[in-house]
Every structure is written in structure tokens, then in C-alpha cells.
Amino acid sequence: MKNLLIVCLILSSFSLFAQKKESKDEKKQRIEAARVSFITKKLELTPEESKEFWPVVNEMETKIKTSRKALKDRFKKMKQEDEKIDEKTYKKLIEDMHEQQISILEIKNEYVQKIASVIGYEKTFRFEHQIQREFKKQLMDRMKKGHVNSVKKN
């Protein structure tokens, strides 16, 4: 009987963990949907532009995330191994960080051309230097106030 109780408790804790994970995924999806809506509206994208624009942006962002994740994983591995970091290793880390920043700029340069071919340079400029920042600022303001579940879509 005691074993059955322990098994039930373990299974219910897994169930609660899965629900929290699902909630986190739902929150990410909600934020992404708000982001898409916000940017689409601010750029005044037509349905045709939107249909071509978002796959290009998503591809660019995937490449950037992959680049960032590689360096982040390297930092995490070093921290887990608890290795003593010497000057040579710090130098290499700085060089790697700079190479990653250059890589991200190269990705952005490549995709700016693709995005501009879909929506033009004026909208591309607004997307890169104004609208994304507006959304991030709005999101951060709402997170500070504890309203992450009610991200505005305008």
C-alpha cells in the first residue's frame, strides 16, 4: 500500500510538471502570436506580403538562435566541467563572442536583402530599427507589471 502511494505521488508530480511545461509553451505561443500581430499591423503588411515575410524572418531568427545557442552551450559546458579558466581560455572566449557577433551581423545582412525584396527597404528599416524594439519594450513593460498573459496585439 505504501509503495502504491509513493508511485501515485511520483506520477502526479510528473503530471504537474508536464502541465507547467505546457503552460510555459502556451505562454511562448501567445507572445509569438502577439508579436506577429503587432509587427504585421505596424508594418501594414498585406496578406501577400505577410505570407512571404514571416517565413523569411523565421528562418533568419532560427539561424541567429542556433548561433547564440552554440556559444551558450560552450559556456554552460565550461561551467559544468568547473575547469579553471586561464588567460588563454578567456582570450579564446572573447574571440568566439566576437566571431558570433560577426556571424549574426552576416546573417542579418543576408536576410535584410531577402526581407527587402518582399516588403521594400522602408518597411525593412522600420522592422529592424523601430518596430521590433517597440514590441520588446512593450513586452518588458508588461512583464514588469506582471501582465505577460495580456500582451497587446496592436
Side-chain angles (χ1 to χ4, degrees):
M1 184 68 171
K2 211 176 200 182
N3 289 340
L4 181 61
L5 182 61
I6 291 172
V7 169
C8 287
L9 285 172
I10 291 172
L11 290 176
S12 64
S13 67
F14 285 135
S15 172
L16 288 173
F17 178 75
Q19 287 175 355
K20 287 181 183 178
K21 178 76 172 157
E22 187 175 278
S23 174
K24 185 177 178 182
D25 290 342
E26 287 174 358
K27 193 178 287 187
K28 282 182 180 181
Q29 289 174 349
R30 198 170 31 256
I31 290 170
E32 182 59 20
R35 178 180 162 269
V36 167
S37 176
F38 181 89
I39 292 171
T40 299
K41 185 175 180 180
K42 288 286 188 174
L43 286 176
E44 300 174 344
L45 296 178
T46 66
E48 296 80 24
E49 287 174 328
S50 190
K51 186 178 174 183
E52 291 182 51
F53 173 79
W54 286 108
V56 175
V57 169
N58 292 338
E59 186 178 314
M60 174 184 72
E61 290 174 350
T62 298
K63 286 186 176 184
I64 290 170
K65 284 178 188 174
T66 301
S67 175
R68 287 184 176 141
K69 186 174 181 335
L71 191 60
K72 184 179 176 181
D73 289 347
R74 182 157 177 242
F75 288 152
K76 190 175 182 178
K77 181 182 175 190
M78 276 183 18
K79 193 173 187 178
Q80 286 174 345
E81 292 175 356
D82 200 30
E83 62 182 69
K84 181 158 173 36
I85 302 174
D86 59 4
E87 286 295 306
K88 184 178 176 182
T89 305
Y90 278 119
K91 180 181 182 216
K92 178 68 173 139
L93 286 172
I94 292 170
E95 290 169 353
D96 290 349
M97 288 181 346
H98 290 166
E99 285 177 23
Q100 181 214 30
Q101 290 170 345
I102 290 168
S103 171
I104 289 172
L105 284 174
E106 288 171 348
I107 292 167
K108 285 183 175 185
N109 281 334
E110 173 190 348
Y111 280 87
V112 158
Q113 303 304 317
K114 292 178 181 183
I115 292 168
S117 72
V118 174
I119 63 171
Y121 283 100
E122 186 263 336
K123 286 183 180 180
T124 301
F125 178 82
R126 287 182 34 232
F127 169 70
E128 277 286 312
H129 297 285
Q130 178 188 6
I131 295 171
Q132 289 193 94
R133 289 180 185 159
E134 281 180 34
F135 180 78
K136 287 177 186 173
K137 182 183 181 317
Q138 182 187 80
L139 180 62
M140 293 304 292
D141 289 346
R142 289 186 177 273
M143 289 176 78
K144 286 177 188 174
K145 293 177 185 174
H147 298 289
V148 76
N149 291 335
S150 62
V151 176
K152 246 181 159 178
K153 291 186 177 183
N154 65 330

